[in-house]
Amino acid sequence: MSLLRTRRAAGVALLALLTSLGAGVIAAGPAAAVGTDWYVSPSGDDSANCITPSDACETIAEVLLDRAESNDVVHLASGTYDESGLQIGINLTIVGAADGTSKVAGDGYEIFDVEGGDNVPTVIFENVTISDNAGGDGVYAENAAVNFVDSHVDNNRYGVEAYNAAIQATRSTFAGNGTQDSFGDGLYLDCGAVTADHSTFDGNSGAGIWVDAVECFRRDVSIDAATGADVSLRVDHSTVSNNGAAGVGGYNASIQVWTSTLSGNTGAGLDNRSGSSSQNGAGVAE
């Protein structure tokens, strides 16, 4: 439940995740599905079998709570799903309509809550819009790997709020978040790794991307053995613009900005405190 929730120890699984992050091992995109395909549509019925588009469930919650198992794929038909508090603790892919018209808009602590315990789940959002949660997160992630592919996370209090996690954004947009206060980042991570590739972070009231190390200090974990940094962030071929704080920033982080545009942000384009930064072909105009 957002910033006030109690952090759980992740044990061996978390250490394995952080070790893989230090080695630069992050899934690049959707993996081949080996589980069941489930179908959801605003015109569906939760009493249906939900295994064909013509016999779809009505709600995402029905599939997540009662049907989905690890490595399944949930297909969202075009339309708006008014749901929140959707908990995921298994490997799962959620795929929207190819034209990007599948939207999940809720009102709660978070729309999607992705958390691992002894396991570290990998969740992929593809062609999905997650938006309009003015009082909470679009996606909350803890002890998990979350990939956004061709997706939008817009107009939430925080776009993504993550702890001890691996977050990857590919051809995705995080815009207009921070609708309730001045500290709503497009993507906020405390301990772990972020990779943004061909993505956009625009018009968030806080930072475009901000990475912190409080959880790393608490757990005495270092992500990057070479630099001693507790957080890793790489921004590649992306645009970070018009945000209300720094464009890209962090604390005790290893930050790389490659061939990207940082412009029009209220704070510095790149603001890394007590960490290491490198830029290659990045246009920083503030």
mmCIF file with all atom_site columns, all heavy atoms in Angstrom, residues 130 137-141 146 148 153 156-162 167 174 177 185-189 201 210:
data_model
loop_
_atom_site.group_PDB
_atom_site.id
_atom_site.type_symbol
_atom_site.label_atom_id
_atom_site.label_alt_id
_atom_site.label_comp_id
_atom_site.label_asym_id
_atom_site.label_entity_id
_atom_site.label_seq_id
_atom_site.pdbx_PDB_ins_code
_atom_site.Cartn_x
_atom_site.Cartn_y
_atom_site.Cartn_z
_atom_site.occupancy
_atom_site.B_iso_or_equiv
_atom_site.pdbx_formal_charge
_atom_site.auth_seq_id
_atom_site.auth_comp_id
_atom_site.auth_asym_id
_atom_site.auth_atom_id
_atom_site.pdbx_PDB_model_num
ATOM 1   N N   . ILE A 1 130 ? -2.455 2.356  -18.140 1.00 0.00 ? 130 ILE A N   1
ATOM 2   C CA  . ILE A 1 130 ? -2.758 2.290  -16.709 1.00 0.00 ? 130 ILE A CA  1
ATOM 3   C C   . ILE A 1 130 ? -2.835 3.729  -16.217 1.00 0.00 ? 130 ILE A C   1
ATOM 4   O O   . ILE A 1 130 ? -1.818 4.428  -16.179 1.00 0.00 ? 130 ILE A O   1
ATOM 5   C CB  . ILE A 1 130 ? -1.665 1.502  -15.964 1.00 0.00 ? 130 ILE A CB  1
ATOM 6   C CG1 . ILE A 1 130 ? -1.526 0.085  -16.554 1.00 0.00 ? 130 ILE A CG1 1
ATOM 7   C CG2 . ILE A 1 130 ? -1.983 1.424  -14.480 1.00 0.00 ? 130 ILE A CG2 1
ATOM 8   C CD1 . ILE A 1 130 ? -0.280 -0.650 -16.104 1.00 0.00 ? 130 ILE A CD1 1
ATOM 9   N N   . ASP A 1 137 ? -0.867 4.803  -6.856  1.00 0.00 ? 137 ASP A N   1
ATOM 10  C CA  . ASP A 1 137 ? 0.067  4.432  -7.908  1.00 0.00 ? 137 ASP A CA  1
ATOM 11  C C   . ASP A 1 137 ? -0.647 3.800  -9.098  1.00 0.00 ? 137 ASP A C   1
ATOM 12  O O   . ASP A 1 137 ? -1.663 3.121  -8.937  1.00 0.00 ? 137 ASP A O   1
ATOM 13  C CB  . ASP A 1 137 ? 1.071  3.403  -7.381  1.00 0.00 ? 137 ASP A CB  1
ATOM 14  C CG  . ASP A 1 137 ? 1.828  3.882  -6.157  1.00 0.00 ? 137 ASP A CG  1
ATOM 15  O OD1 . ASP A 1 137 ? 2.027  5.102  -6.020  1.00 0.00 ? 137 ASP A OD1 1
ATOM 16  O OD2 . ASP A 1 137 ? 2.217  3.028  -5.340  1.00 0.00 ? 137 ASP A OD2 1
ATOM 17  N N   . GLY A 1 138 ? -0.058 4.000  -10.262 1.00 0.00 ? 138 GLY A N   1
ATOM 18  C CA  . GLY A 1 138 ? -0.483 3.186  -11.388 1.00 0.00 ? 138 GLY A CA  1
ATOM 19  C C   . GLY A 1 138 ? -0.075 1.745  -11.156 1.00 0.00 ? 138 GLY A C   1
ATOM 20  O O   . GLY A 1 138 ? -0.892 0.831  -11.196 1.00 0.00 ? 138 GLY A O   1
ATOM 21  N N   . VAL A 1 139 ? 1.222  1.560  -10.867 1.00 0.00 ? 139 VAL A N   1
ATOM 22  C CA  . VAL A 1 139 ? 1.747  0.227  -10.541 1.00 0.00 ? 139 VAL A CA  1
ATOM 23  C C   . VAL A 1 139 ? 2.646  0.353  -9.323  1.00 0.00 ? 139 VAL A C   1
ATOM 24  O O   . VAL A 1 139 ? 3.547  1.199  -9.282  1.00 0.00 ? 139 VAL A O   1
ATOM 25  C CB  . VAL A 1 139 ? 2.549  -0.376 -11.712 1.00 0.00 ? 139 VAL A CB  1
ATOM 26  C CG1 . VAL A 1 139 ? 3.183  -1.701 -11.312 1.00 0.00 ? 139 VAL A CG1 1
ATOM 27  C CG2 . VAL A 1 139 ? 1.654  -0.562 -12.942 1.00 0.00 ? 139 VAL A CG2 1
ATOM 28  N N   . TYR A 1 140 ? 2.395  -0.480 -8.324  1.00 0.00 ? 140 TYR A N   1
ATOM 29  C CA  . TYR A 1 140 ? 3.295  -0.629 -7.182  1.00 0.00 ? 140 TYR A CA  1
ATOM 30  C C   . TYR A 1 140 ? 4.006  -1.959 -7.351  1.00 0.00 ? 140 TYR A C   1
ATOM 31  O O   . TYR A 1 140 ? 3.383  -2.985 -7.649  1.00 0.00 ? 140 TYR A O   1
ATOM 32  C CB  . TYR A 1 140 ? 2.514  -0.626 -5.861  1.00 0.00 ? 140 TYR A CB  1
ATOM 33  C CG  . TYR A 1 140 ? 3.404  -0.846 -4.663  1.00 0.00 ? 140 TYR A CG  1
ATOM 34  C CD1 . TYR A 1 140 ? 3.969  0.227  -3.985  1.00 0.00 ? 140 TYR A CD1 1
ATOM 35  C CD2 . TYR A 1 140 ? 3.696  -2.130 -4.218  1.00 0.00 ? 140 TYR A CD2 1
ATOM 36  C CE1 . TYR A 1 140 ? 4.802  0.032  -2.903  1.00 0.00 ? 140 TYR A CE1 1
ATOM 37  C CE2 . TYR A 1 140 ? 4.533  -2.338 -3.141  1.00 0.00 ? 140 TYR A CE2 1
ATOM 38  C CZ  . TYR A 1 140 ? 5.092  -1.260 -2.471  1.00 0.00 ? 140 TYR A CZ  1
ATOM 39  O OH  . TYR A 1 140 ? 5.922  -1.475 -1.409  1.00 0.00 ? 140 TYR A OH  1
ATOM 40  N N   . ALA A 1 141 ? 5.338  -1.976 -7.177  1.00 0.00 ? 141 ALA A N   1
ATOM 41  C CA  . ALA A 1 141 ? 6.105  -3.212 -7.332  1.00 0.00 ? 141 ALA A CA  1
ATOM 42  C C   . ALA A 1 141 ? 7.090  -3.359 -6.184  1.00 0.00 ? 141 ALA A C   1
ATOM 43  O O   . ALA A 1 141 ? 7.756  -2.387 -5.793  1.00 0.00 ? 141 ALA A O   1
ATOM 44  C CB  . ALA A 1 141 ? 6.847  -3.226 -8.660  1.00 0.00 ? 141 ALA A CB  1
ATOM 45  N N   . VAL A 1 146 ? 9.274  -5.951 -13.412 1.00 0.00 ? 146 VAL A N   1
ATOM 46  C CA  . VAL A 1 146 ? 8.121  -5.490 -14.174 1.00 0.00 ? 146 VAL A CA  1
ATOM 47  C C   . VAL A 1 146 ? 8.612  -4.849 -15.468 1.00 0.00 ? 146 VAL A C   1
ATOM 48  O O   . VAL A 1 146 ? 9.459  -3.950 -15.438 1.00 0.00 ? 146 VAL A O   1
ATOM 49  C CB  . VAL A 1 146 ? 7.278  -4.477 -13.381 1.00 0.00 ? 146 VAL A CB  1
ATOM 50  C CG1 . VAL A 1 146 ? 6.056  -4.057 -14.203 1.00 0.00 ? 146 VAL A CG1 1
ATOM 51  C CG2 . VAL A 1 146 ? 6.848  -5.065 -12.039 1.00 0.00 ? 146 VAL A CG2 1
ATOM 52  N N   . PHE A 1 148 ? 7.414  -2.917 -19.038 1.00 0.00 ? 148 PHE A N   1
ATOM 53  C CA  . PHE A 1 148 ? 6.372  -2.193 -19.767 1.00 0.00 ? 148 PHE A CA  1
ATOM 54  C C   . PHE A 1 148 ? 6.789  -2.135 -21.226 1.00 0.00 ? 148 PHE A C   1
ATOM 55  O O   . PHE A 1 148 ? 7.859  -1.623 -21.548 1.00 0.00 ? 148 PHE A O   1
ATOM 56  C CB  . PHE A 1 148 ? 6.209  -0.771 -19.217 1.00 0.00 ? 148 PHE A CB  1
ATOM 57  C CG  . PHE A 1 148 ? 5.799  -0.724 -17.772 1.00 0.00 ? 148 PHE A CG  1
ATOM 58  C CD1 . PHE A 1 148 ? 6.746  -0.700 -16.762 1.00 0.00 ? 148 PHE A CD1 1
ATOM 59  C CD2 . PHE A 1 148 ? 4.454  -0.694 -17.416 1.00 0.00 ? 148 PHE A CD2 1
ATOM 60  C CE1 . PHE A 1 148 ? 6.384  -0.659 -15.428 1.00 0.00 ? 148 PHE A CE1 1
ATOM 61  C CE2 . PHE A 1 148 ? 4.067  -0.654 -16.083 1.00 0.00 ? 148 PHE A CE2 1
ATOM 62  C CZ  . PHE A 1 148 ? 5.033  -0.640 -15.091 1.00 0.00 ? 148 PHE A CZ  1
ATOM 63  N N   . VAL A 1 153 ? 1.552  4.783  -18.758 1.00 0.00 ? 153 VAL A N   1
ATOM 64  C CA  . VAL A 1 153 ? 1.231  4.892  -17.341 1.00 0.00 ? 153 VAL A CA  1
ATOM 65  C C   . VAL A 1 153 ? 1.078  6.388  -17.068 1.00 0.00 ? 153 VAL A C   1
ATOM 66  O O   . VAL A 1 153 ? 2.060  7.109  -16.919 1.00 0.00 ? 153 VAL A O   1
ATOM 67  C CB  . VAL A 1 153 ? 2.314  4.262  -16.458 1.00 0.00 ? 153 VAL A CB  1
ATOM 68  C CG1 . VAL A 1 153 ? 1.885  4.297  -14.996 1.00 0.00 ? 153 VAL A CG1 1
ATOM 69  C CG2 . VAL A 1 153 ? 2.602  2.822  -16.881 1.00 0.00 ? 153 VAL A CG2 1
ATOM 70  N N   . ASN A 1 156 ? -1.554 9.306  -12.783 1.00 0.00 ? 156 ASN A N   1
ATOM 71  C CA  . ASN A 1 156 ? -1.694 8.701  -11.461 1.00 0.00 ? 156 ASN A CA  1
ATOM 72  C C   . ASN A 1 156 ? -0.932 9.565  -10.453 1.00 0.00 ? 156 ASN A C   1
ATOM 73  O O   . ASN A 1 156 ? -0.234 10.506 -10.823 1.00 0.00 ? 156 ASN A O   1
ATOM 74  C CB  . ASN A 1 156 ? -1.119 7.286  -11.463 1.00 0.00 ? 156 ASN A CB  1
ATOM 75  C CG  . ASN A 1 156 ? -1.734 6.428  -12.540 1.00 0.00 ? 156 ASN A CG  1
ATOM 76  O OD1 . ASN A 1 156 ? -2.873 6.011  -12.447 1.00 0.00 ? 156 ASN A OD1 1
ATOM 77  N ND2 . ASN A 1 156 ? -0.973 6.173  -13.612 1.00 0.00 ? 156 ASN A ND2 1
ATOM 78  N N   . ARG A 1 157 ? -1.064 9.244  -9.157  1.00 0.00 ? 157 ARG A N   1
ATOM 79  C CA  . ARG A 1 157 ? -0.270 9.987  -8.167  1.00 0.00 ? 157 ARG A CA  1
ATOM 80  C C   . ARG A 1 157 ? 1.213  9.717  -8.416  1.00 0.00 ? 157 ARG A C   1
ATOM 81  O O   . ARG A 1 157 ? 2.020  10.636 -8.518  1.00 0.00 ? 157 ARG A O   1
ATOM 82  C CB  . ARG A 1 157 ? -0.649 9.584  -6.747  1.00 0.00 ? 157 ARG A CB  1
ATOM 83  C CG  . ARG A 1 157 ? 0.128  10.359 -5.673  1.00 0.00 ? 157 ARG A CG  1
ATOM 84  C CD  . ARG A 1 157 ? -0.331 9.992  -4.265  1.00 0.00 ? 157 ARG A CD  1
ATOM 85  N NE  . ARG A 1 157 ? 0.418  10.728 -3.266  1.00 0.00 ? 157 ARG A NE  1
ATOM 86  C CZ  . ARG A 1 157 ? 1.559  10.310 -2.734  1.00 0.00 ? 157 ARG A CZ  1
ATOM 87  N NH1 . ARG A 1 157 ? 2.070  9.155  -3.107  1.00 0.00 ? 157 ARG A NH1 1
ATOM 88  N NH2 . ARG A 1 157 ? 2.183  11.024 -1.823  1.00 0.00 ? 157 ARG A NH2 1
ATOM 89  N N   . TYR A 1 158 ? 1.606  8.468  -8.472  1.00 0.00 ? 158 TYR A N   1
ATOM 90  C CA  . TYR A 1 158 ? 2.903  8.036  -8.991  1.00 0.00 ? 158 TYR A CA  1
ATOM 91  C C   . TYR A 1 158 ? 2.607  7.137  -10.179 1.00 0.00 ? 158 TYR A C   1
ATOM 92  O O   . TYR A 1 158 ? 1.693  6.310  -10.125 1.00 0.00 ? 158 TYR A O   1
ATOM 93  C CB  . TYR A 1 158 ? 3.687  7.223  -7.954  1.00 0.00 ? 158 TYR A CB  1
ATOM 94  C CG  . TYR A 1 158 ? 4.499  8.035  -6.980  1.00 0.00 ? 158 TYR A CG  1
ATOM 95  C CD1 . TYR A 1 158 ? 3.900  8.653  -5.893  1.00 0.00 ? 158 TYR A CD1 1
ATOM 96  C CD2 . TYR A 1 158 ? 5.872  8.172  -7.127  1.00 0.00 ? 158 TYR A CD2 1
ATOM 97  C CE1 . TYR A 1 158 ? 4.635  9.392  -4.981  1.00 0.00 ? 158 TYR A CE1 1
ATOM 98  C CE2 . TYR A 1 158 ? 6.631  8.908  -6.228  1.00 0.00 ? 158 TYR A CE2 1
ATOM 99  C CZ  . TYR A 1 158 ? 6.001  9.513  -5.149  1.00 0.00 ? 158 TYR A CZ  1
ATOM 100 O OH  . TYR A 1 158 ? 6.737  10.248 -4.254  1.00 0.00 ? 158 TYR A OH  1
ATOM 101 N N   . GLY A 1 159 ? 3.418  7.264  -11.231 1.00 0.00 ? 159 GLY A N   1
ATOM 102 C CA  . GLY A 1 159 ? 3.249  6.327  -12.328 1.00 0.00 ? 159 GLY A CA  1
ATOM 103 C C   . GLY A 1 159 ? 3.588  4.925  -11.870 1.00 0.00 ? 159 GLY A C   1
ATOM 104 O O   . GLY A 1 159 ? 2.741  4.036  -11.822 1.00 0.00 ? 159 GLY A O   1
ATOM 105 N N   . VAL A 1 160 ? 4.846  4.750  -11.474 1.00 0.00 ? 160 VAL A N   1
ATOM 106 C CA  . VAL A 1 160 ? 5.329  3.483  -10.924 1.00 0.00 ? 160 VAL A CA  1
ATOM 107 C C   . VAL A 1 160 ? 6.072  3.790  -9.637  1.00 0.00 ? 160 VAL A C   1
ATOM 108 O O   . VAL A 1 160 ? 6.931  4.677  -9.590  1.00 0.00 ? 160 VAL A O   1
ATOM 109 C CB  . VAL A 1 160 ? 6.270  2.754  -11.901 1.00 0.00 ? 160 VAL A CB  1
ATOM 110 C CG1 . VAL A 1 160 ? 6.829  1.485  -11.262 1.00 0.00 ? 160 VAL A CG1 1
ATOM 111 C CG2 . VAL A 1 160 ? 5.549  2.429  -13.207 1.00 0.00 ? 160 VAL A CG2 1
ATOM 112 N N   . GLU A 1 161 ? 5.760  3.063  -8.578  1.00 0.00 ? 161 GLU A N   1
ATOM 113 C CA  . GLU A 1 161 ? 6.469  3.158  -7.299  1.00 0.00 ? 161 GLU A CA  1
ATOM 114 C C   . GLU A 1 161 ? 6.997  1.770  -6.983  1.00 0.00 ? 161 GLU A C   1
ATOM 115 O O   . GLU A 1 161 ? 6.226  0.821  -6.861  1.00 0.00 ? 161 GLU A O   1
ATOM 116 C CB  . GLU A 1 161 ? 5.535  3.630  -6.194  1.00 0.00 ? 161 GLU A CB  1
ATOM 117 C CG  . GLU A 1 161 ? 6.235  3.793  -4.850  1.00 0.00 ? 161 GLU A CG  1
ATOM 118 C CD  . GLU A 1 161 ? 5.277  4.184  -3.739  1.00 0.00 ? 161 GLU A CD  1
ATOM 119 O OE1 . GLU A 1 161 ? 4.059  4.302  -4.004  1.00 0.00 ? 161 GLU A OE1 1
ATOM 120 O OE2 . GLU A 1 161 ? 5.751  4.345  -2.598  1.00 0.00 ? 161 GLU A OE2 1
ATOM 121 N N   . ALA A 1 162 ? 8.322  1.639  -6.874  1.00 0.00 ? 162 ALA A N   1
ATOM 122 C CA  . ALA A 1 162 ? 8.914  0.303  -6.779  1.00 0.00 ? 162 ALA A CA  1
ATOM 123 C C   . ALA A 1 162 ? 10.014 0.254  -5.729  1.00 0.00 ? 162 ALA A C   1
ATOM 124 O O   . ALA A 1 162 ? 10.745 1.233  -5.522  1.00 0.00 ? 162 ALA A O   1
ATOM 125 C CB  . ALA A 1 162 ? 9.472  -0.123 -8.135  1.00 0.00 ? 162 ALA A CB  1
ATOM 126 N N   . ILE A 1 167 ? 12.867 -2.724 -13.110 1.00 0.00 ? 167 ILE A N   1
ATOM 127 C CA  . ILE A 1 167 ? 11.831 -2.124 -13.932 1.00 0.00 ? 167 ILE A CA  1
ATOM 128 C C   . ILE A 1 167 ? 12.414 -1.833 -15.314 1.00 0.00 ? 167 ILE A C   1
ATOM 129 O O   . ILE A 1 167 ? 13.483 -1.219 -15.423 1.00 0.00 ? 167 ILE A O   1
ATOM 130 C CB  . ILE A 1 167 ? 11.312 -0.800 -13.329 1.00 0.00 ? 167 ILE A CB  1
ATOM 131 C CG1 . ILE A 1 167 ? 10.891 -1.000 -11.862 1.00 0.00 ? 167 ILE A CG1 1
ATOM 132 C CG2 . ILE A 1 167 ? 10.174 -0.250 -14.170 1.00 0.00 ? 167 ILE A CG2 1
ATOM 133 C CD1 . ILE A 1 167 ? 9.721  -1.945 -11.674 1.00 0.00 ? 167 ILE A CD1 1
ATOM 134 N N   . PHE A 1 174 ? 5.313  7.547  -19.689 1.00 0.00 ? 174 PHE A N   1
ATOM 135 C CA  . PHE A 1 174 ? 4.927  7.821  -18.314 1.00 0.00 ? 174 PHE A CA  1
ATOM 136 C C   . PHE A 1 174 ? 4.714  9.323  -18.227 1.00 0.00 ? 174 PHE A C   1
ATOM 137 O O   . PHE A 1 174 ? 5.674  10.096 -18.199 1.00 0.00 ? 174 PHE A O   1
ATOM 138 C CB  . PHE A 1 174 ? 6.019  7.357  -17.357 1.00 0.00 ? 174 PHE A CB  1
ATOM 139 C CG  . PHE A 1 174 ? 6.367  5.896  -17.490 1.00 0.00 ? 174 PHE A CG  1
ATOM 140 C CD1 . PHE A 1 174 ? 7.133  5.445  -18.570 1.00 0.00 ? 174 PHE A CD1 1
ATOM 141 C CD2 . PHE A 1 174 ? 5.927  4.975  -16.558 1.00 0.00 ? 174 PHE A CD2 1
ATOM 142 C CE1 . PHE A 1 174 ? 7.443  4.093  -18.715 1.00 0.00 ? 174 PHE A CE1 1
ATOM 143 C CE2 . PHE A 1 174 ? 6.235  3.623  -16.690 1.00 0.00 ? 174 PHE A CE2 1
ATOM 144 C CZ  . PHE A 1 174 ? 6.988  3.188  -17.775 1.00 0.00 ? 174 PHE A CZ  1
ATOM 145 N N   . ASN A 1 177 ? 1.800  12.233 -14.357 1.00 0.00 ? 177 ASN A N   1
ATOM 146 C CA  . ASN A 1 177 ? 1.613  11.671 -13.022 1.00 0.00 ? 177 ASN A CA  1
ATOM 147 C C   . ASN A 1 177 ? 1.926  12.738 -11.968 1.00 0.00 ? 177 ASN A C   1
ATOM 148 O O   . ASN A 1 177 ? 2.643  13.693 -12.222 1.00 0.00 ? 177 ASN A O   1
ATOM 149 C CB  . ASN A 1 177 ? 2.509  10.445 -12.843 1.00 0.00 ? 177 ASN A CB  1
ATOM 150 C CG  . ASN A 1 177 ? 2.131  9.330  -13.800 1.00 0.00 ? 177 ASN A CG  1
ATOM 151 O OD1 . ASN A 1 177 ? 1.086  8.714  -13.663 1.00 0.00 ? 177 ASN A OD1 1
ATOM 152 N ND2 . ASN A 1 177 ? 2.975  9.085  -14.801 1.00 0.00 ? 177 ASN A ND2 1
ATOM 153 N N   . ASP A 1 185 ? 6.334  11.231 -9.207  1.00 0.00 ? 185 ASP A N   1
ATOM 154 C CA  . ASP A 1 185 ? 7.292  10.921 -10.263 1.00 0.00 ? 185 ASP A CA  1
ATOM 155 C C   . ASP A 1 185 ? 6.659  10.039 -11.335 1.00 0.00 ? 185 ASP A C   1
ATOM 156 O O   . ASP A 1 185 ? 5.721  9.282  -11.068 1.00 0.00 ? 185 ASP A O   1
ATOM 157 C CB  . ASP A 1 185 ? 8.498  10.193 -9.679  1.00 0.00 ? 185 ASP A CB  1
ATOM 158 C CG  . ASP A 1 185 ? 9.193  10.981 -8.580  1.00 0.00 ? 185 ASP A CG  1
ATOM 159 O OD1 . ASP A 1 185 ? 9.182  12.227 -8.654  1.00 0.00 ? 185 ASP A OD1 1
ATOM 160 O OD2 . ASP A 1 185 ? 9.741  10.351 -7.659  1.00 0.00 ? 185 ASP A OD2 1
ATOM 161 N N   . GLY A 1 186 ? 7.225  10.130 -12.526 1.00 0.00 ? 186 GLY A N   1
ATOM 162 C CA  . GLY A 1 186 ? 6.816  9.177  -13.549 1.00 0.00 ? 186 GLY A CA  1
ATOM 163 C C   . GLY A 1 186 ? 7.175  7.761  -13.145 1.00 0.00 ? 186 GLY A C   1
ATOM 164 O O   . GLY A 1 186 ? 6.360  6.847  -13.230 1.00 0.00 ? 186 GLY A O   1
ATOM 165 N N   . LEU A 1 187 ? 8.422  7.606  -12.664 1.00 0.00 ? 187 LEU A N   1
ATOM 166 C CA  . LEU A 1 187 ? 8.883  6.299  -12.192 1.00 0.00 ? 187 LEU A CA  1
ATOM 167 C C   . LEU A 1 187 ? 9.801  6.518  -11.000 1.00 0.00 ? 187 LEU A C   1
ATOM 168 O O   . LEU A 1 187 ? 10.805 7.227  -11.107 1.00 0.00 ? 187 LEU A O   1
ATOM 169 C CB  . LEU A 1 187 ? 9.612  5.554  -13.314 1.00 0.00 ? 187 LEU A CB  1
ATOM 170 C CG  . LEU A 1 187 ? 9.879  4.055  -13.143 1.00 0.00 ? 187 LEU A CG  1
ATOM 171 C CD1 . LEU A 1 187 ? 10.232 3.435  -14.495 1.00 0.00 ? 187 LEU A CD1 1
ATOM 172 C CD2 . LEU A 1 187 ? 11.005 3.767  -12.160 1.00 0.00 ? 187 LEU A CD2 1
ATOM 173 N N   . TYR A 1 188 ? 9.445  5.940  -9.862  1.00 0.00 ? 188 TYR A N   1
ATOM 174 C CA  . TYR A 1 188 ? 10.253 6.033  -8.644  1.00 0.00 ? 188 TYR A CA  1
ATOM 175 C C   . TYR A 1 188 ? 10.682 4.632  -8.232  1.00 0.00 ? 188 TYR A C   1
ATOM 176 O O   . TYR A 1 188 ? 9.853  3.716  -8.133  1.00 0.00 ? 188 TYR A O   1
ATOM 177 C CB  . TYR A 1 188 ? 9.454  6.670  -7.506  1.00 0.00 ? 188 TYR A CB  1
ATOM 178 C CG  . TYR A 1 188 ? 10.194 6.637  -6.175  1.00 0.00 ? 188 TYR A CG  1
ATOM 179 C CD1 . TYR A 1 188 ? 11.102 7.631  -5.851  1.00 0.00 ? 188 TYR A CD1 1
ATOM 180 C CD2 . TYR A 1 188 ? 9.998  5.596  -5.273  1.00 0.00 ? 188 TYR A CD2 1
ATOM 181 C CE1 . TYR A 1 188 ? 11.798 7.598  -4.641  1.00 0.00 ? 188 TYR A CE1 1
ATOM 182 C CE2 . TYR A 1 188 ? 10.685 5.552  -4.070  1.00 0.00 ? 188 TYR A CE2 1
ATOM 183 C CZ  . TYR A 1 188 ? 11.587 6.561  -3.757  1.00 0.00 ? 188 TYR A CZ  1
ATOM 184 O OH  . TYR A 1 188 ? 12.280 6.517  -2.574  1.00 0.00 ? 188 TYR A OH  1
ATOM 185 N N   . LEU A 1 189 ? 11.983 4.465  -7.986  1.00 0.00 ? 189 LEU A N   1
ATOM 186 C CA  . LEU A 1 189 ? 12.522 3.177  -7.550  1.00 0.00 ? 189 LEU A CA  1
ATOM 187 C C   . LEU A 1 189 ? 13.422 3.372  -6.349  1.00 0.00 ? 189 LEU A C   1
ATOM 188 O O   . LEU A 1 189 ? 14.289 4.259  -6.351  1.00 0.00 ? 189 LEU A O   1
ATOM 189 C CB  . LEU A 1 189 ? 13.322 2.515  -8.673  1.00 0.00 ? 189 LEU A CB  1
ATOM 190 C CG  . LEU A 1 189 ? 14.097 1.254  -8.265  1.00 0.00 ? 189 LEU A CG  1
ATOM 191 C CD1 . LEU A 1 189 ? 13.150 0.077  -8.064  1.00 0.00 ? 189 LEU A CD1 1
ATOM 192 C CD2 . LEU A 1 189 ? 15.167 0.906  -9.280  1.00 0.00 ? 189 LEU A CD2 1
ATOM 193 N N   . PHE A 1 201 ? 9.143  10.220 -20.693 1.00 0.00 ? 201 PHE A N   1
ATOM 194 C CA  . PHE A 1 201 ? 8.738  10.607 -19.347 1.00 0.00 ? 201 PHE A CA  1
ATOM 195 C C   . PHE A 1 201 ? 8.463  12.106 -19.400 1.00 0.00 ? 201 PHE A C   1
ATOM 196 O O   . PHE A 1 201 ? 9.399  12.914 -19.447 1.00 0.00 ? 201 PHE A O   1
ATOM 197 C CB  . PHE A 1 201 ? 9.839  10.276 -18.343 1.00 0.00 ? 201 PHE A CB  1
ATOM 198 C CG  . PHE A 1 201 ? 10.176 8.804  -18.297 1.00 0.00 ? 201 PHE A CG  1
ATOM 199 C CD1 . PHE A 1 201 ? 11.005 8.234  -19.251 1.00 0.00 ? 201 PHE A CD1 1
ATOM 200 C CD2 . PHE A 1 201 ? 9.644  7.988  -17.306 1.00 0.00 ? 201 PHE A CD2 1
ATOM 201 C CE1 . PHE A 1 201 ? 11.307 6.879  -19.221 1.00 0.00 ? 201 PHE A CE1 1
ATOM 202 C CE2 . PHE A 1 201 ? 9.943  6.638  -17.273 1.00 0.00 ? 201 PHE A CE2 1
ATOM 203 C CZ  . PHE A 1 201 ? 10.766 6.078  -18.232 1.00 0.00 ? 201 PHE A CZ  1
ATOM 204 N N   . TRP A 1 210 ? 13.237 8.891  -10.834 1.00 0.00 ? 210 TRP A N   1
ATOM 205 C CA  . TRP A 1 210 ? 14.061 9.118  -9.645  1.00 0.00 ? 210 TRP A CA  1
ATOM 206 C C   . TRP A 1 210 ? 14.342 7.775  -8.988  1.00 0.00 ? 210 TRP A C   1
ATOM 207 O O   . TRP A 1 210 ? 13.431 6.980  -8.774  1.00 0.00 ? 210 TRP A O   1
ATOM 208 C CB  . TRP A 1 210 ? 13.372 10.038 -8.646  1.00 0.00 ? 210 TRP A CB  1
ATOM 209 C CG  . TRP A 1 210 ? 14.293 10.391 -7.503  1.00 0.00 ? 210 TRP A CG  1
ATOM 210 C CD1 . TRP A 1 210 ? 14.397 9.770  -6.295  1.00 0.00 ? 210 TRP A CD1 1
ATOM 211 C CD2 . TRP A 1 210 ? 15.264 11.440 -7.493  1.00 0.00 ? 210 TRP A CD2 1
ATOM 212 N NE1 . TRP A 1 210 ? 15.367 10.362 -5.530  1.00 0.00 ? 210 TRP A NE1 1
ATOM 213 C CE2 . TRP A 1 210 ? 15.930 11.395 -6.248  1.00 0.00 ? 210 TRP A CE2 1
ATOM 214 C CE3 . TRP A 1 210 ? 15.641 12.417 -8.427  1.00 0.00 ? 210 TRP A CE3 1
ATOM 215 C CZ2 . TRP A 1 210 ? 16.939 12.287 -5.903  1.00 0.00 ? 210 TRP A CZ2 1
ATOM 216 C CZ3 . TRP A 1 210 ? 16.659 13.308 -8.075  1.00 0.00 ? 210 TRP A CZ3 1
ATOM 217 C CH2 . TRP A 1 210 ? 17.292 13.240 -6.829  1.00 0.00 ? 210 TRP A CH2 1
#
